[in-house]
Amino acid sequence: MPMYRKKPVVIEAIQWDGTESCIQRIKAQFPAIETCAKSGHLKSDEVTHWRIATLEGSHIVSVGDYVIKGVAGEFYPCKPGIFEATYEAI
């Protein structure tokens, strides 16, 4: 079977900490992000999850997920374990 290696690319990513203020920082860094919905607490900065528009449709962003800007300018969430196995800080 043919084998392939992932090409080295530099991406931008921000880890979401579960707060509304972090969502706002992510959206400030990535102005093209479309927020589809979010579930939170009215009297708190805490948000349980939110949805962003991706090339494949709406995806849930959970606490701890990284929001990644891909090589074509698209956005998507990535679980921490997958992110840490795939990417390293530069």
Side-chain angles (χ1 to χ4, degrees), residues 3 11 32 39:
M3 304 283 288
I11 53 103
S39 175

Side-chain angles (χ1 to χ4, degrees), residues 8 13 17 60 68 70 83:
D17 67 5
I60 292 176
I68 295 174
F83 185 86

Side-chain angles (χ1 to χ4, degrees), residues 32-80:
I33 282 184
E34 293 182 40
T35 303
C36 302
K38 64 184 172 195
S39 175
H41 305 283
L42 296 176
K43 297 184 179 191
S44 159
D45 189 37
E46 182 182 330
V47 178
T48 58
H49 67 276
W50 57 301
R51 292 181 172 271
I52 60 173
T54 72
L55 294 177
E56 294 84 27
S58 173
H59 282 250
I60 292 176
V61 182
S62 300
V63 176
D65 286 356
Y66 286 82
V67 176
I68 295 174
K69 181 178 180 181
V71 296
E74 77 282 12
F75 297 96
Y76 57 94
C78 184
K79 295 294 180 199

Side-chain angles (χ1 to χ4, degrees), residues 21-40:
S21 56
C22 189
I23 292 172
Q24 297 309 318
R25 284 194 307 275
I26 291 169
K27 290 175 76 174
Q29 181 72 30
F30 303 139
I33 282 184
E34 293 182 40
T35 303
C36 302
K38 64 184 172 195
S39 175

